[in-house]
């Protein structure tokens, strides 16, 4: 069992570096800090290296005292563990730490994982890497205290969209039950992680609704976001994330599109579908990619011309 | 144990009426239909009586074949079970069925429950009545098939805001795990129950953002909704539900207020707070009520005058 080999490496190690992927999300951050807290309880010397500053949303997470933003290559580590990282590229500059280590471990749940370490624990049935870290901590016999439980709960809750995505399994809920039993403050995490939006994001959502057009008997929703609009609101590119769901979630809509104008004239297109349209096929025509129900591409051209072109392409498959 | 007494009544009964509360929500509907399906599996004759038509959102729920909207008093029932109903008033016209029955049972989780039946199973630690029905079905040894599991999952998921409210316990998650194990389609339910909004609701949300004002260094958010606005959009009063959370969820906001003008000139005010302001105290001044973090009242007057008055009252406690 690969878990036992990993545990044996951990027991033999002293200083251990933990590397979440670049632009670390709730699962990458929560799993990394939970593992650091657990290793500290084992009297190891854990260090989490982030590629960037941690997003504000997650600044309440316990275990931050073991984390730092990578600036220059630290001393060689005996053991390095990459978390939630599909391939070496997703380690960014911190690949230097990984490449330098005596032993390397890769714990992940992405189907695309390239098995890039000496020991690879990749379970694509896990909703979150948080599930795998939970099981590893249990196997090591470490007590899951409130701090570790909080980190793991955030990892799992964020990667399942709050237990709402199809990756949510009975195991996901069983683990959540145990974590809450160990002291997780569910409503605090809900408020902090799921219910706090920046004013800019809220304003952008309002403007997106204003620009929303329903076409094809309400089956197609299109939202346009111009670069000027973003600038006027003071919103950032990352605030556009999820805007396409405003269209998708409207009753009767099958395909939702967001056309976002970027500085320089490129148009970034996001597609979502609900039940039957394969939007990745449309994105592929324009050198984009994705899944049947969520895809994207980048096109050059006039925003209104491109909108009309996309409407025609979508009409054919609705 | 009260559960055993209830099970013994069920085993002795033939036709059994099930009564969820008026304006039945996901928990009331899901619990009622799950119980009907389970009683049918026991070869009983269950009938669920609703006070009103079931909301469209829930029309996918299994067990609808056992349900009807109450029109006139049916023949006397040997056993009537009220679900998720705090007091007799919440049975509406269907109190007639309840009062006529030989035996009455009340299964609920509201702290305010008046113990109005012969047998009262009231557990205020249960996140949803769905949890209590789950346990009852288990105790009766009835197999939880996909249909029953779906009804119970909807009951629990809606009353916990998708496992996000503070009423979510380890038991809640353990039950969810078992229900998913029995075939619940998590992503279908997510999409249908949590992610489908009417176009009118989405437009109202857009207009609400447009009217949003941030005052007091961003600690107070105020949204005005005029009667004309609702009419122009074609939105209904129920579409205003939750609009106050748009303000509350903005980073840094402590108090959010929605002032909604109704036909006739009344102003309906909703208050929410995040961490420390007791909004029920403000609502109480105007003959309203509620909790510390969620309250409301109705005031007569000019919408702008009332807004200025409320701002002053809130300033004092911010």
């Amino acid at each position: 069992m690969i878990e036992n080999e990993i545990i044996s490496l951990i027991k033999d190690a002293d200083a251990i570096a933990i590397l979440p992927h670049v632009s670390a999300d709730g699962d990458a951050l929560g799993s990394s800090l939970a593992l650091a807290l657990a290793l500290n309880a084992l009297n190891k010397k854990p260090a989490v290296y982030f590629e960037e500053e941690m997003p504000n949303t997650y600044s309440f997470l316990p275990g931050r005292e073991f984390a730092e933003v990578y600036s220059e290559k630290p001393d060689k580590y005996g053991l390095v563990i990459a978390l939630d990282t599909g391939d070496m590229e997703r380690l960014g500059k911190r690949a230097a730490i990984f490449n330098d280590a005596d032993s390397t471990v890769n714990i992940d749940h992405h189907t695309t994982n390239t098995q890039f370490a000496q020991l690879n624990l990749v379970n694509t049935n896990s909703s979150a890497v948080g599930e795998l870290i939970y099981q590893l901590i249990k196997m090591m016999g470490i007590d899951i205290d409130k701090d570790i439980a909080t980190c793991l709960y955030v990892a799992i809750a964020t990667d399942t969209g709050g237990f709402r995505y199809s990756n949510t399994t009975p195991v996901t809920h069983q683990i959540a039950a145990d974590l809450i039993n160990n002291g997780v403050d569910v409503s605090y995490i809900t408020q902090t992680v799921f219910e706090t939006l920046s004013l800019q994001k809220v304003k952008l959502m309002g403007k997106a609704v204003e620009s929303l057009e329903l076409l094809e008997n309400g089956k197609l929703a299109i939202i346009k976001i111009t670069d000027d609009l973003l600038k006027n609101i003071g919103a950032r590119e990352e605030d556009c994330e999820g805007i396409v769901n405003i269209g998708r979630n409207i009753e009767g809509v099958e395909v939702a599109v967001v056309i976002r104008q970027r500085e320089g004239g490129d148009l970034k297109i996001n597609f979502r579908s609900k039940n039957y349209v394969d939007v990745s096929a449309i994105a592929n025509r324009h050198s984009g990619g994705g899944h049947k129900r969520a895809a994207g591409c980048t096109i050059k051209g006039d925003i209104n011309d491109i909108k009309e072109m996309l409407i025609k392409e979508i009409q054919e498959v609705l």
Side-chain angles (χ1 to χ4, degrees), chain A residues 121-138:
Chain A
L121 168 56
V122 180
N123 186 341
T124 57
N125 295 318
S126 294
S127 69
V129 170
E131 287 191 14
L132 298 168
I133 299 300
Y134 169 87
Q135 282 146 354
L136 208 61
I137 291 174
K138 282 283 199 193

Side-chain angles (χ1 to χ4, degrees), chain A residues 118-168:
Chain A
Q118 286 157 15
L119 291 180
N120 301 284
L121 168 56
V122 180
N123 186 341
T124 57
N125 295 318
S126 294
S127 69
V129 170
E131 287 191 14
L132 298 168
I133 299 300
Y134 169 87
Q135 282 146 354
L136 208 61
I137 291 174
K138 282 283 199 193
M139 285 178 75
M140 290 192 283
I142 300 164
D143 179 45
I144 296 197
D145 62 12
K146 184 179 173 177
D147 284 352
I148 294 177
T150 298
C151 290
L152 291 175
Y153 181 88
V154 167
I156 294 170
T158 53
D159 248 29
T160 58
F163 308 100
R164 290 185 182 183
Y165 299 157
S166 59
N167 62 353
T168 309

Side-chain angles (χ1 to χ4, degrees), chain A residues 234-256:
Chain A
R236 289 160 305 177
E237 177 144 1
E238 67 200 72
D239 292 318
C240 297
E241 211 187 289
I243 292 293
V244 69
N245 292 324
I246 294 174
R248 199 199 79 114
N249 292 351
I250 294 172
E251 212 171 349
V253 167
E254 171 60 26
V255 177

Side-chain angles (χ1 to χ4, degrees), chain A residues 2-301:
Chain A
I2 191 85
E3 285 89 341
N4 291 325
E5 293 180 56
I6 293 172
I7 290 169
S8 153
L9 272 184
I10 288 173
K11 293 207 162 147
D12 291 344
D14 178 37
I16 301 172
I18 300 168
L19 309 178
H21 60 73
V22 295
S23 307
D25 57 8
D27 186 22
L29 294 167
S31 295
S32 296
L33 296 175
L35 182 58
L37 287 161
L39 296 180
N40 183 58
L42 271 187
N43 295 315
K44 303 296 173 184
K45 294 195 190 82
V48 180
Y49 292 95
F50 297 143
E51 190 82 2
E52 315 88 357
E53 288 291 343
M54 195 155 76
N56 269 341
T57 308
Y58 298 108
S59 59
F60 71 95
L61 283 179
R64 293 177 310 284
E65 63 272 28
F66 300 111
E68 60 184 272
V69 177
Y70 178 81
S71 54
E72 56 181 25
K73 199 163 82 66
D75 287 346
K76 177 188 179 79
Y77 275 89
L79 175 59
V80 173
I81 305 176
L83 291 186
D84 202 24
T85 301
D87 54 55
M88 285 290 294
E89 240 175 73
R90 301 274 287 154
L91 289 178
K93 296 192 295 282
R94 297 159 304 148
I97 307 178
F98 190 89
N99 288 328
D100 203 26
D102 292 326
S103 303
T104 59
V105 170
N106 154 26
I107 302 178
D108 188 31
H109 67 141
H110 290 94
T111 48
T112 51
N113 191 287
T114 58
Q115 312 272 332
F116 55 86
Q118 286 157 15
L119 291 180
N120 301 284
L121 168 56
V122 180
N123 186 341
T124 57
N125 295 318
S126 294
S127 69
V129 170
E131 287 191 14
L132 298 168
I133 299 300
Y134 169 87
Q135 282 146 354
L136 208 61
I137 291 174
K138 282 283 199 193
M139 285 178 75
M140 290 192 283
I142 300 164
D143 179 45
I144 296 197
D145 62 12
K146 184 179 173 177
D147 284 352
I148 294 177
T150 298
C151 290
L152 291 175
Y153 181 88
V154 167
I156 294 170
T158 53
D159 248 29
T160 58
F163 308 100
R164 290 185 182 183
Y165 299 157
S166 59
N167 62 353
T168 309
T169 68
V171 172
T172 314
H173 279 288
Q174 277 153 7
I175 294 174
D178 191 37
L179 297 175
I180 295 173
N181 231 346
N182 288 300
V184 169
D185 185 339
V186 173
S187 65
Y188 176 78
I189 292 176
T190 296
Q191 190 177 300
T192 311
V193 175
F194 290 109
E195 293 184 347
T196 301
L197 295 173
S198 69
L199 177 62
Q200 290 74 25
K201 173 93 188 196
V202 171
K203 282 187 173 168
L204 179 62
M205 290 166 74
K207 291 291 182 188
V209 172
E210 215 177 286
S211 94
L212 183 139
E213 287 180 83
L214 271 197
L215 305 165
E216 303 298 308
N217 283 323
K219 287 193 276 186
L220 171 58
I222 297 201
I223 290 170
K224 282 196 303 189
I225 300 175
T226 63
D227 196 49
D228 279 352
L229 173 68
L230 276 195
K231 278 185 186 148
N232 286 340
I233 296 175
R236 289 160 305 177
E237 177 144 1
E238 67 200 72
D239 292 318
C240 297
E241 211 187 289
I243 292 293
V244 69
N245 292 324
I246 294 174
R248 199 199 79 114
N249 292 351
I250 294 172
E251 212 171 349
V253 167
E254 171 60 26
V255 177
V257 182
V258 167
I259 307 178
R260 159 154 158 53
Q261 197 177 36
R262 287 169 123 172
E263 232 171 334
D266 277 5
L267 300 170
K268 197 173 172 189
I269 324 281
N270 285 301
F271 301 95
R272 289 288 183 283
S273 68
K274 212 178 264 170
N275 294 309
Y276 61 91
V277 169
D278 177 1
V279 286
S280 69
I282 300 167
N284 285 337
R285 282 197 215 170
H286 304 288
S287 312
H291 311 279
K292 278 186 182 179
R293 305 277 170 264
C297 60
T298 302
I299 311 183
K300 276 188 197 303

